[in-house]
Short mmCIF file of all heavy atoms in Angstrom, two decimals:
data_model
loop_
_atom_site.label_atom_id
_atom_site.label_comp_id
_atom_site.label_asym_id
_atom_site.label_seq_id
_atom_site.Cartn_x
_atom_site.Cartn_y
_atom_site.Cartn_z
N ILE Z 11 -12.02 25.28 -3.54
CA ILE Z 11 -13.36 25.71 -3.67
C ILE Z 11 -13.42 27.23 -3.96
O ILE Z 11 -13.07 28.09 -3.18
CB ILE Z 11 -14.17 25.41 -2.41
CG1 ILE Z 11 -14.06 23.88 -2.17
CG2 ILE Z 11 -15.58 25.86 -2.46
CD1 ILE Z 11 -14.38 23.46 -0.81
N PRO Z 12 -13.84 27.52 -5.23
CA PRO Z 12 -14.04 28.91 -5.51
C PRO Z 12 -15.29 29.55 -4.94
O PRO Z 12 -16.27 28.81 -4.90
CB PRO Z 12 -14.07 29.00 -7.08
CG PRO Z 12 -14.61 27.63 -7.39
CD PRO Z 12 -14.19 26.69 -6.36
N CYS Z 13 -15.23 30.69 -4.39
CA CYS Z 13 -16.39 31.21 -3.72
C CYS Z 13 -16.63 32.71 -4.17
O CYS Z 13 -15.75 33.55 -4.04
CB CYS Z 13 -16.22 31.34 -2.21
SG CYS Z 13 -15.63 29.74 -1.52
N TYR Z 14 -17.76 32.88 -4.80
CA TYR Z 14 -18.08 34.30 -5.19
C TYR Z 14 -19.50 34.67 -4.64
O TYR Z 14 -20.49 34.01 -5.01
CB TYR Z 14 -18.10 34.38 -6.70
CG TYR Z 14 -18.53 35.78 -7.22
CD1 TYR Z 14 -17.81 36.90 -6.80
CD2 TYR Z 14 -19.59 35.85 -8.14
CE1 TYR Z 14 -18.24 38.11 -7.30
CE2 TYR Z 14 -20.03 37.12 -8.62
CZ TYR Z 14 -19.29 38.26 -8.21
OH TYR Z 14 -19.70 39.43 -8.72
N ASN Z 15 -19.51 35.52 -3.62
CA ASN Z 15 -20.76 35.92 -3.01
C ASN Z 15 -21.53 34.75 -2.49
O ASN Z 15 -22.71 34.52 -2.82
CB ASN Z 15 -21.67 36.76 -3.98
CG ASN Z 15 -20.99 38.07 -4.31
OD1 ASN Z 15 -20.11 38.53 -3.55
ND2 ASN Z 15 -21.54 38.74 -5.37
N GLU Z 16 -20.87 33.94 -1.66
CA GLU Z 16 -21.53 32.74 -1.18
C GLU Z 16 -21.84 32.74 0.32
O GLU Z 16 -21.96 31.69 0.91
CB GLU Z 16 -20.61 31.53 -1.47
CG GLU Z 16 -20.36 31.23 -2.99
CD GLU Z 16 -21.57 30.60 -3.76
OE1 GLU Z 16 -22.62 30.60 -3.19
OE2 GLU Z 16 -21.30 30.22 -4.89
N VAL Z 49 -11.23 29.86 -2.06
CA VAL Z 49 -10.69 30.93 -2.82
C VAL Z 49 -11.78 31.96 -2.97
O VAL Z 49 -12.77 31.79 -3.62
CB VAL Z 49 -10.19 30.45 -4.17
CG1 VAL Z 49 -9.62 31.70 -4.99
CG2 VAL Z 49 -9.26 29.33 -4.20
N ASP Z 51 -13.24 34.90 -4.68
CA ASP Z 51 -13.08 35.54 -6.00
C ASP Z 51 -13.74 36.92 -6.04
O ASP Z 51 -14.73 37.23 -6.69
CB ASP Z 51 -13.73 34.67 -7.03
CG ASP Z 51 -13.61 35.18 -8.42
OD1 ASP Z 51 -12.66 36.03 -8.67
OD2 ASP Z 51 -14.27 34.73 -9.38
N ASN Z 79 -12.95 40.35 -8.65
CA ASN Z 79 -13.64 39.17 -9.25
C ASN Z 79 -12.98 38.89 -10.61
O ASN Z 79 -12.98 39.71 -11.48
CB ASN Z 79 -15.04 39.54 -9.49
CG ASN Z 79 -15.81 38.35 -10.19
OD1 ASN Z 79 -16.39 38.47 -11.23
ND2 ASN Z 79 -15.81 37.19 -9.52
N PHE Z 80 -12.28 37.71 -10.66
CA PHE Z 80 -11.65 37.27 -11.94
C PHE Z 80 -12.51 36.17 -12.62
O PHE Z 80 -12.31 36.03 -13.81
CB PHE Z 80 -10.30 36.60 -11.57
CG PHE Z 80 -9.25 37.68 -11.27
CD1 PHE Z 80 -9.07 38.11 -9.92
CD2 PHE Z 80 -8.42 38.19 -12.27
CE1 PHE Z 80 -8.11 39.05 -9.65
CE2 PHE Z 80 -7.49 39.16 -12.01
CZ PHE Z 80 -7.30 39.59 -10.68
N GLY Z 81 -13.32 35.49 -12.02
CA GLY Z 81 -14.16 34.51 -12.62
C GLY Z 81 -13.73 33.08 -12.03
O GLY Z 81 -12.64 32.93 -11.51
N HIS Z 82 -14.71 32.18 -12.24
CA HIS Z 82 -14.66 30.83 -11.73
C HIS Z 82 -13.41 30.09 -12.08
O HIS Z 82 -12.65 29.63 -11.22
CB HIS Z 82 -15.88 30.16 -12.22
CG HIS Z 82 -16.04 28.78 -11.82
ND1 HIS Z 82 -16.60 27.85 -12.53
CD2 HIS Z 82 -15.65 28.12 -10.67
CE1 HIS Z 82 -16.64 26.66 -11.96
NE2 HIS Z 82 -15.94 26.76 -10.83
N ALA Z 85 -10.27 31.63 -10.47
CA ALA Z 85 -10.24 31.35 -9.08
C ALA Z 85 -9.72 29.85 -8.82
O ALA Z 85 -8.92 29.60 -7.89
CB ALA Z 85 -11.64 31.52 -8.45
N LEU Z 101 -14.31 21.70 -6.48
CA LEU Z 101 -15.75 21.62 -6.50
C LEU Z 101 -16.29 23.01 -6.08
O LEU Z 101 -15.69 23.88 -5.65
CB LEU Z 101 -16.30 20.54 -5.63
CG LEU Z 101 -16.24 20.64 -4.13
CD1 LEU Z 101 -17.08 19.55 -3.50
CD2 LEU Z 101 -14.80 20.34 -3.56
N ASP Z 102 -17.56 23.15 -6.42
CA ASP Z 102 -18.28 24.47 -6.22
C ASP Z 102 -18.71 24.63 -4.75
O ASP Z 102 -18.90 23.65 -4.03
CB ASP Z 102 -19.57 24.53 -7.09
CG ASP Z 102 -19.20 24.60 -8.52
OD1 ASP Z 102 -18.01 24.74 -8.87
OD2 ASP Z 102 -20.13 24.49 -9.34
N ALA Z 103 -18.75 25.86 -4.36
CA ALA Z 103 -19.06 26.20 -2.94
C ALA Z 103 -20.43 25.77 -2.60
O ALA Z 103 -20.75 25.56 -1.37
CB ALA Z 103 -18.86 27.74 -2.71
N ASP Z 104 -21.39 25.70 -3.53
CA ASP Z 104 -22.74 25.35 -3.14
C ASP Z 104 -22.92 23.82 -3.01
O ASP Z 104 -24.03 23.37 -2.66
CB ASP Z 104 -23.70 25.85 -4.25
CG ASP Z 104 -23.31 25.41 -5.61
OD1 ASP Z 104 -22.53 24.46 -5.76
OD2 ASP Z 104 -23.85 26.05 -6.62
N GLN Z 106 -23.23 21.54 -5.08
CA GLN Z 106 -24.22 20.90 -5.96
C GLN Z 106 -23.58 19.60 -6.53
O GLN Z 106 -24.39 18.68 -6.92
CB GLN Z 106 -24.59 21.84 -7.16
CG GLN Z 106 -25.63 22.89 -6.84
CD GLN Z 106 -26.01 23.62 -8.05
OE1 GLN Z 106 -25.28 24.49 -8.43
NE2 GLN Z 106 -27.15 23.38 -8.65
N LYS Z 140 -31.28 24.92 -19.90
CA LYS Z 140 -29.85 24.69 -19.49
C LYS Z 140 -29.43 23.30 -20.02
O LYS Z 140 -28.32 23.15 -20.50
CB LYS Z 140 -29.75 24.81 -17.93
CG LYS Z 140 -28.23 24.88 -17.63
CD LYS Z 140 -28.02 25.71 -16.31
CE LYS Z 140 -26.47 25.84 -16.08
NZ LYS Z 140 -26.21 26.80 -14.93
N ARG Z 204 -26.34 15.47 -9.76
CA ARG Z 204 -26.09 16.88 -9.31
C ARG Z 204 -27.35 17.32 -8.43
O ARG Z 204 -28.50 17.14 -8.88
CB ARG Z 204 -25.97 17.78 -10.48
CG ARG Z 204 -25.46 19.17 -10.14
CD ARG Z 204 -24.93 19.92 -11.33
NE ARG Z 204 -25.06 21.30 -11.25
CZ ARG Z 204 -23.99 22.15 -11.10
NH1 ARG Z 204 -22.85 21.66 -10.90
NH2 ARG Z 204 -24.24 23.45 -11.04
N ARG Z 207 -29.18 23.68 -5.74
CA ARG Z 207 -28.51 24.66 -4.88
C ARG Z 207 -29.49 24.90 -3.75
O ARG Z 207 -30.70 25.16 -3.92
CB ARG Z 207 -28.37 26.01 -5.61
CG ARG Z 207 -27.26 26.87 -5.12
CD ARG Z 207 -27.28 28.11 -5.91
NE ARG Z 207 -25.96 28.46 -6.47
CZ ARG Z 207 -24.94 29.05 -5.69
NH1 ARG Z 207 -25.16 29.27 -4.39
NH2 ARG Z 207 -23.77 29.28 -6.18
N THR Z 211 -28.01 32.17 -4.90
CA THR Z 211 -28.50 32.08 -6.24
C THR Z 211 -27.27 31.79 -7.17
O THR Z 211 -26.14 31.87 -6.74
CB THR Z 211 -29.10 33.36 -6.79
OG1 THR Z 211 -28.11 34.43 -6.46
CG2 THR Z 211 -30.39 33.68 -6.15
N THR Z 212 -27.56 31.34 -8.39
CA THR Z 212 -26.51 30.99 -9.28
C THR Z 212 -25.69 32.16 -9.63
O THR Z 212 -26.17 33.33 -9.73
CB THR Z 212 -27.04 30.31 -10.60
OG1 THR Z 212 -25.92 30.13 -11.50
CG2 THR Z 212 -28.02 31.21 -11.26
N LYS Z 213 -24.34 32.00 -9.67
CA LYS Z 213 -23.44 33.11 -10.13
C LYS Z 213 -23.13 32.94 -11.62
O LYS Z 213 -22.22 33.55 -12.09
CB LYS Z 213 -22.12 32.96 -9.30
CG LYS Z 213 -22.20 33.72 -7.97
CD LYS Z 213 -23.07 33.08 -6.98
CE LYS Z 213 -23.46 33.84 -5.74
NZ LYS Z 213 -24.40 33.12 -4.90
N TYR Z 214 -23.88 32.07 -12.24
CA TYR Z 214 -23.63 31.97 -13.71
C TYR Z 214 -24.95 32.23 -14.45
O TYR Z 214 -25.62 31.40 -14.96
CB TYR Z 214 -23.28 30.50 -14.02
CG TYR Z 214 -21.80 30.40 -14.24
CD1 TYR Z 214 -20.96 29.89 -13.25
CD2 TYR Z 214 -21.20 30.90 -15.43
CE1 TYR Z 214 -19.61 29.80 -13.45
CE2 TYR Z 214 -19.80 30.76 -15.57
CZ TYR Z 214 -19.05 30.26 -14.57
OH TYR Z 214 -17.69 30.20 -14.72
N LYS Z 218 -23.33 35.29 -18.59
CA LYS Z 218 -22.04 34.73 -18.26
C LYS Z 218 -21.87 33.37 -18.99
O LYS Z 218 -20.81 32.98 -19.35
CB LYS Z 218 -21.92 34.57 -16.82
CG LYS Z 218 -21.04 35.58 -16.12
CD LYS Z 218 -20.63 35.11 -14.75
CE LYS Z 218 -20.05 36.17 -13.88
NZ LYS Z 218 -19.95 35.89 -12.48
N1 UDP G 1 -17.81 31.55 -8.96
C1 UDP G 1 -16.60 32.22 -8.80
N2 UDP G 1 -16.49 33.39 -9.55
C2 UDP G 1 -17.47 33.80 -10.39
C3 UDP G 1 -18.69 33.10 -10.56
C4 UDP G 1 -18.80 31.90 -9.73
O1 UDP G 1 -15.71 31.87 -8.06
O2 UDP G 1 -17.30 34.92 -11.00
C5 UDP G 1 -17.94 30.22 -8.19
C6 UDP G 1 -19.22 30.15 -7.23
O3 UDP G 1 -18.97 30.70 -6.04
C7 UDP G 1 -19.45 28.66 -7.22
C8 UDP G 1 -18.91 28.16 -8.57
O4 UDP G 1 -18.13 29.22 -9.13
O5 UDP G 1 -18.64 28.04 -6.18
C9 UDP G 1 -20.08 27.81 -9.53
O6 UDP G 1 -21.02 28.83 -9.54
P1 UDP G 1 -22.62 28.62 -9.51
O7 UDP G 1 -22.82 27.47 -8.44
O8 UDP G 1 -23.31 29.85 -9.16
O9 UDP G 1 -22.87 28.12 -10.92
P2 UDP G 1 -24.05 27.04 -11.44
O10 UDP G 1 -23.90 25.85 -10.52
O11 UDP G 1 -25.35 27.71 -11.29
O12 UDP G 1 -23.66 26.70 -12.84
#
Side-chain angles (χ1 to χ4, degrees):
I11 301 161
C13 312
Y14 177 56
N15 294 343
E16 298 287 9
V49 184
D51 183 18
N79 179 240
F80 282 88
H82 178 210
L101 73 165
D102 293 350
D104 53 17
Q106 278 187 284
K140 195 152 182 168
R204 190 164 152 108
R207 202 183 234 282
T211 49
T212 174
K213 274 71 194 176
Y214 263 103
K218 256 196 193 166

